[in-house]
Amino acid sequence: MPLSLPPSGVERLKEASRGLRGDLAAELAAPGREVSEDAYNLLKFHGTYEQHDRDTATERKQRGEAKDFSFMVRVRMPGGVLTAAQYLALDALADRYGNATLRITTREGVQFHGVIKQDLKGTIAAINRTLLTTQSACGDVVRNVTATPAPRRDAVHARIRADAAMLSTALLPASRAYHELFLDVAAQTALGTEPEPLFGPTYLPRKFKIGIIAPGDNTIDVLTNDLGIIALFEGERLVGYNFALGGGLGMTHNKPATYPRLATPLVFIGPDDLRRGVEAVIALQRDWGNRGDRRRARLKYLLDDQGLDWAKTALEGYFGAPLAPARPLPPLLVPEILGWHAQGDGRFWLGVPVPSGRIEDRGGRRLRTALRAIVARFGADPVLTGQQDILLSNLAPEDRGAVEGLLRDHGVALAEDLTPLARWSLACPALPTCGLALAEAERVHAPIVAAIEAELARFGLADERISLRITGCPNGCARTYAGDIGIVGRMPGHYALYVGGDFAGTRLSFKLHDKVAEADLAAILAPLFAAFAAGRGRGEGFGDFCTRLGADALRQLGTPPRDAAA
Ligand code: SRM
Ligand code: SF4
């Protein structure tokens, strides 16, 4: 039974927290820029993480100074959908409280970095005034619901957007702690906390992620979610939903009990039962998930420990009726949604690539200024994608030239200016903000892409659609194991190299080499590219080729650089 271990410290903290209040009010009002460990853990549920500048930590310690603490604030928006006014408000907050950047996340959200404790309340309250929230953006709750992002004005996309929005709102905690702490809403409960009908007093054992797609657009990698929902349509008529359970990518190096897993399609849910079905899955994880070991607390481990038959039967119990098995899955596709596209209502969207999701002005590339100007002047409503890019929607046909000209005037590269490798690459923030980073990711994204691009060009593969994901540690925030090539931080300057996932996000990659020096990554891939160029099958992608050959054969293709070991 998964409940055999005693509850972890975080479980005890949640239970004693009076609906996630704890001592947060006092801690937020206290002087200083740091919070206690309990407050750190509770603040996550309200959408913010204490961090410190890792670049200066050692130097400051040597000088006897405290770390440079600040907060990351994460905003949730189901399906990445924003209005122009919301975007402009977030953009202004980046200057007022943050580090003058907006970071599009791999879950279609936005992060601010560098907010000091004294500005947390102001930041969160200002976000709420735009009708967005940071509530449950982090913590052991349901995170931002991701969805097929393309702003097509048809029934299929309208339904996906509506479902994501409905789930996002319906699955928020009942606790009013967030409103009391950050929005000055007076406490309304004599008991000190409200009942949590769905989550109970200890919320979920771990973060819980939901994504929903139409099979034609899997840019969010739906199978990496605890609950991946694939909506099935006949024409534009919704037939129902395949529920795939147990996705999750986090793992720890050298701890085989932890591993990435793609969700398994388990049951089919009728078109009118979406919320009921989702609540049944949440209840399953709430009651049976591992609350003793946070490293093995995601739904994926429950499924593997107890078995799929057990899970289906238990799920039927929570749902209150037998459930049909998942229907055969149509192929999941990853279409090009950057560049110009007709929405279907006479208007257009322009998808603009955002390297590592970082919206900033840097040198001659003034992306942030350009986006702000386009949103303000042309009323574009942005949609953020799970590939860390931005879709500027609702543009009038006559504005297309001016919009594109404005981006070019600000030195912004458009999708057609990028190689497919650069266009389909992701990198997590890693250093200097992420406390878990073992190596750089965002800050080495461009040089790693350039080095690999050069090798691809050598073998005539410059135009090949290959997905590349770079993370500073094995947690997989840029969905490292769900693409063609995964580069995973191992220790400073060194990475584990994964290959063999597929472009559509339906197969996991495998580890080919461990501890490869950053400077050797492209060279170690070169023999694989040579073999792929010479021996690929018809229509075979790079990841498919790697999987067909297998790790042993791939390793024999070339001599690994100096310090790469299998
Ligand atoms: Fe993540 C933790 C950033 C998507 C798996 N993730 C973190 C933290 C909060 C570090 C921490 O716990 O101290 C990172 C903050 C870094 C910083 O400085 O901002 C962080 N994760 C991110 C973002 C910003 C990466 C990005 O490049 O966009 C993404 C925010 C999404 C959002 O808006 O909610 C982000 N994280 C993901 C994804 C991808 C996804 O969901 O599509 C994954 C893999 C899927 C999964 O959940 O398994 C992911 N993050 C993790 C994990 C491993 C969880 C596990 O089961 O082991 C951690 C560590 C943890 O939870 O203990 C983590
Ligand atoms: Fe931090 Fe690791 Fe996530 Fe990158 S993958 S943001 S280093 S936790």
Side-chain angles (χ1 to χ4, degrees):
M1 296 282 286
L3 299 177
S4 52
L5 291 169
S8 68
V10 175
E11 288 300 316
R12 295 197 299 276
L13 173 70
K14 287 185 277 183
E15 184 152 31
S17 71
R18 295 175 299 111
L20 307 173
R21 289 170 178 86
D23 292 330
L24 285 181
E27 290 227 21
L28 289 173
R33 289 174 63 170
E34 204 181 341
V35 295
S36 69
E37 190 180 340
D38 282 358
Y40 167 86
N41 278 311
L42 286 178
L43 278 172
K44 293 181 190 177
F45 289 80
H46 304 302
T48 178
Y49 265 74
E50 182 189 79
Q51 302 182 318
H52 68 270
D53 179 3
R54 293 186 59 190
D55 281 349
T56 58
T58 310
E59 201 181 296
R60 291 174 76 98
K61 191 173 175 187
Q62 283 162 355
R63 290 205 304 260
E65 292 171 11
K67 291 171 180 162
D68 184 8
F69 287 105
S70 65
F71 287 77
M72 174 268 274
V73 176
R74 190 180 282 170
V75 192
R76 51 187 272 158
M77 50 212 64
V81 175
L82 286 170
T83 63
Q86 285 171 332
Y87 181 85
L88 293 174
L90 295 182
D91 179 78
L93 286 176
D95 284 334
R96 183 155 177 213
Y97 296 122
N99 67 352
T101 76
L102 287 169
R103 177 63 163 65
I104 304 176
T105 76
T106 51
R107 292 195 67 76
E108 303 179 332
V110 161
Q111 284 187 181
F112 295 95
H113 287 107
V115 178
I116 61 167
K117 190 178 88 171
Q118 285 67 24
D119 288 339
L120 259 187
K121 194 169 166 178
T123 307
I124 292 176
I127 290 166
N128 269 266
R129 282 198 292 276
T130 73
L131 303 183
L132 293 167
T133 186
T134 70
Q135 191 185 13
S136 293
C138 321
D140 298 344
V141 277
V142 178
R143 302 292 187 86
N144 194 33
V145 178
T146 52
T148 285
R152 291 189 196 287
R153 304 305 178 206
D154 61 20
V156 169
H157 289 78
R159 181 66 194 226
I160 299 285
R161 274 192 294 276
D163 285 346
M166 180 278 288
L167 289 175
S168 179
T169 307
L171 303 174
L172 284 172
S175 168
R176 304 289 291 169
Y178 177 83
H179 309 79
E180 291 169 22
L181 285 165
F182 298 104
L183 310 180
D184 286 331
V185 173
Q188 288 169 354
T189 160
L191 296 171
T193 187
E194 311 75 2
E196 287 283 2
L198 179 58
F199 297 116
T202 48
Y203 298 85
L204 295 176
R206 207 55 164 89
K207 58 178 67 167
F208 192 91
K209 296 184 173 177
I210 300 177
I212 178 165
I213 61 160
D217 179 351
N218 187 30
T219 47
I220 63 163
D221 292 328
V222 73
L223 299 180
T224 61
N225 287 272
D226 295 88
L227 172 55
I229 304 172
I230 299 111
L232 302 175
F233 293 87
E234 274 170 8
E236 294 210 337
R237 187 180 70 85
L238 177 71
V239 178
Y241 306 90
N242 263 359
F243 273 25
L245 271 61
L249 299 181
M251 63 164 207
T252 308
H253 287 304
N254 296 331
K255 286 217 183 332
T258 66
Y259 47 82
R261 185 185 191 283
L262 290 181
T264 313
L266 193 65
V267 293
F268 175 81
I269 300 284
D272 300 325
D273 284 330
L274 178 63
R275 179 169 173 181
R276 183 173 156 215
V278 170
E279 288 184 349
V281 180
I282 290 172
L284 176 78
Q285 163 71 349
R286 175 197 66 204
D287 293 350
W288 293 91
N290 187 334
R291 290 183 185 263
D293 178 0
R294 289 184 65 77
R295 284 195 193 280
R296 294 197 91 254
R298 298 287 291 273
L299 179 64
K300 61 183 175 181
Y301 299 115
L302 176 64
L303 250 58
D304 284 348
D305 291 349
Q306 300 285 329
L308 293 175
D309 290 344
W310 175 90
K312 182 165 183 291
T313 307
L315 193 58
E316 289 172 337
Y318 289 108
F319 187 75
L323 289 167
R327 299 211 173 157
L329 206 57
L332 303 187
L333 307 176
V334 175
E336 179 52 275
I337 52 174
L338 299 191
W340 286 106
H341 296 265
Q343 293 179 178
D345 60 355
R347 296 196 159 245
F348 287 80
W349 88 78
L350 174 65
V352 180
V354 182
S356 304
R358 185 72 66 178
I359 300 180
E360 63 180 343
D361 289 346
R362 180 182 283 263
R365 193 178 145 276
R366 293 166 58 229
L367 174 64
R368 191 170 152 229
T369 302
L371 291 177
R372 185 194 311 122
I374 292 169
V375 173
R377 196 180 310 165
F378 302 101
D381 297 310
V383 182
L384 311 178
T385 79
Q387 303 274 339
Q388 303 175 321
D389 298 315
I390 189 165
L391 313 179
L392 299 166
S393 77
N394 291 332
L395 290 166
E398 60 273 19
D399 291 335
R400 286 176 55 167
V403 166
E404 209 170 311
L406 207 148
L407 286 161
R408 295 229 177 264
D409 288 348
H410 286 76
V412 175
L414 299 183
E416 63 265 30
D417 305 325
L418 303 182
T419 62
L421 184 80
R423 186 262 169 270
W424 293 104
S425 63
L426 304 177
C428 75
L431 294 162
T433 51
C434 179
L436 304 179
L438 304 172
E440 298 279 357
E442 185 175 326
R443 294 194 295 196
V444 295
H445 180 190
I448 289 179
V449 166
I452 298 177
E453 272 172 345
E455 291 300 337
L456 284 168
R458 254 185 351 119
F459 300 106
L461 296 169
D463 295 331
E464 188 66 26
R465 227 169 65 137
I466 291 178
S467 57
L468 168 70
R469 279 98 189 265
I470 307 169
T471 52
C473 88
N475 280 320
C477 296
R479 295 192 293 277
T480 340
Y481 318 106
D484 290 302
I485 302 174
I487 292 177
V488 181
R490 193 70 177 79
M491 54 199 243
H494 290 73
Y495 298 84
L497 177 66
Y498 284 73
V499 294
D502 66 339
F503 196 83
T506 62
R507 188 181 57 233
L508 288 178
S509 52
F510 54 85
K511 182 153 79 172
L512 192 62
H513 294 294
D514 205 13
K515 296 185 188 157
V516 183
E518 184 200 326
D520 293 335
L521 284 165
I524 208 171
L525 283 162
L528 277 61
F529 294 152
F532 174 57
R536 70 190 299 185
R538 184 190 289 263
E540 194 174 40
F542 179 66
D544 306 330
F545 172 80
C546 290
T547 290
R548 177 162 64 80
L549 262 66
D552 290 343
L554 291 174
R555 285 193 197 108
Q556 283 162 18
L557 288 173
T559 319
R562 294 173 301 285
D563 56 350

